[in-house]
Amino acid sequence: MAEEGAGRQLLSEAAAVEVLAYLVTAARTQIDEAAEYAPLRLMTAAQKLADSISADASAPVRALIAAIATMPVTAVPRSDRDAYVARVDEICVAAADCLLAVNPPDSPL
Amino acid sequence: MNTVLYEALRARRVTRNMTPEPVDSSHLDLVVQAARYAPNAGNRRLQTIVPVADQRMLQLLRQVSPGMVARPMAAVVICIDTARAVDFGFDPHAPGLFIDVGTAAATMLLAAQAVGLASCPVTSFSRAAVARLLALGPGQDPRLIICLGHAAADQPPAMDASHQPAHA
Ligand SMILES: Cc1cc2nc3c(=O)[nH]c(=O)nc-3n(C[C@H](O)[C@H](O)[C@H](O)COP(=O)(O)O)c2cc1C
């Protein structure tokens, strides 16, 4: 298992460009799309990034990746908005846990 | 009643997870040809159908198409031929041009079903980026991509059907 730490390099240039292209093209499609697609697009961007870094990620990052993967690629805040919000909140908490783990109190600022 | 036809349109569902099995080029041709059988306002045919079978190009298209969840093994891009539309005196944003994209898409989706291909229409893509990737001329406006392939066993859940179409 790879070592933990905020300074590790996980992303190839090709994978980074894929996420960049997704983000800028999603900015464009969002202008014409239903507003409910905004969180879907951001979550998909997170999933693409997660897929690209999962092979070499440390344990805490893997935990975050696993949390992100729980969101179905078609989920939108439509009929069961409360459940959707709860799910995104859980992933946000997982992100906070991951941040704490990869930036321990004694790490350089 | 033509139950085979009715069953085909009942059974067609979008596929957002496709296997790496290739799409037979004759099947892709049949899907493309089907656009000719779609009803089209005034029979003016102001749409251009661009088939894509090159795997590198399919990957690139997917990277500028946030709505393209599947990894298609072939695709068909429906463009509005805005240059010819303007020659006919159309405003390039005239609704009829877009309705014709819809009828062509619906017909090709059923043709895909007929040849045993899974499909998914996609409009959530950057039209500017798709035009650049496909080196489309300035008069060609890509409006809808039909992803084609073979359905994987596991599919993501369908989009939530919050309400069914209204009937008068
Ligand atoms: C004009 C149009 C655009 C669509 N765009 C997308 C898209 O960008 N991505 C996608 O996954 N599905 C897209 N779809 C598919 C719809 O989400 C799908 O048809 C709907 O959820 C109902 O599913 P069904 O066709 O299996 O009944 C589109 C459908 C239409 C008619």
Side-chain angles (χ1 to χ4, degrees):
Chain A
M1 177 77 59
E3 227 174 276
E4 293 165 24
R8 304 175 68 242
Q9 303 289 317
L10 296 173
L11 205 56
S12 70
E13 186 172 69
V17 170
E18 178 169 0
V19 176
L20 282 178
Y22 182 90
L23 287 170
V24 297
T25 55
R28 176 61 186 89
T29 62
Q30 260 292 287
I31 296 169
D32 304 324
E33 284 174 333
E36 66 174 3
Y37 275 17
L40 169 82
R41 298 293 179 232
L42 287 170
M43 206 49 81
T44 304
Q47 287 171 341
K48 280 182 186 289
L49 190 52
D51 285 350
S52 308
I53 65 174
S54 63
D56 297 319
S58 60
V61 177
R62 279 173 196 253
L64 173 57
I65 290 171
I68 291 168
T70 62
M71 184 62 93
V73 290
T74 44
V76 289
R78 195 178 295 181
S79 55
D80 197 349
R81 190 182 172 89
D82 290 348
Y84 185 89
V85 170
R87 212 162 185 169
V88 178
D89 278 344
E90 276 172 31
I91 298 172
C92 293
V93 170
D97 287 343
C98 179
L99 282 168
L100 289 170
V102 300
N103 299 283
D106 56 353
S107 61
L109 288 177
Chain B
M1 160 132 164
N2 185 334
T3 50
V4 174
L5 184 55
Y6 198 86
E7 179 54 26
L9 59 91
R10 193 198 63 77
R12 183 216 54 80
R13 296 278 68 84
V14 299
T15 298
R16 297 194 174 94
N17 188 12
M18 293 178 181
T19 70
E21 184 182 340
V23 167
D24 195 300
S25 62
S26 66
H27 288 165
L28 178 58
D29 285 348
L30 284 166
V31 172
V32 171
Q33 294 302 320
R36 290 197 205 168
Y37 313 133
N40 185 278
N43 211 10
R44 284 177 288 264
R45 308 278 160 187
L46 297 172
Q47 288 71 35
T48 307
I49 310 297
V50 181
V52 183
D54 178 74
Q55 296 305 305
R56 172 180 161 272
M57 184 53 71
L58 288 164
Q59 275 183 24
L60 297 181
L61 284 179
R62 185 169 180 270
Q63 291 186 30
V64 298
S65 303
M68 196 182 288
V69 179
R71 294 176 192 279
M73 295 304 286
V76 175
V77 183
I78 308 176
C79 307
I80 296 178
D81 190 338
T82 47
R84 283 184 57 232
V86 168
D87 284 347
F88 270 99
F90 276 110
D91 175 330
H93 301 290
L97 299 169
F98 296 85
I99 293 171
D100 286 343
V101 170
T103 59
T107 305
M108 286 193 279
L109 293 176
L110 284 176
Q113 178 83 353
V115 297
L117 289 175
S119 62
C120 185
V122 171
T123 51
S124 290
F125 58 85
S126 159
R127 291 186 285 122
V130 166
R132 172 57 63 96
L133 288 176
L134 294 174
L136 298 176
Q140 297 293 335
D141 184 10
R143 284 290 171 176
L144 192 147
I145 301 176
I146 298 179
C147 300
L148 297 166
H150 297 272
D154 57 319
Q155 293 295 322
M159 303 288 300
D160 184 2
S162 57
H163 45 257
Q164 296 300 313
H167 297 280

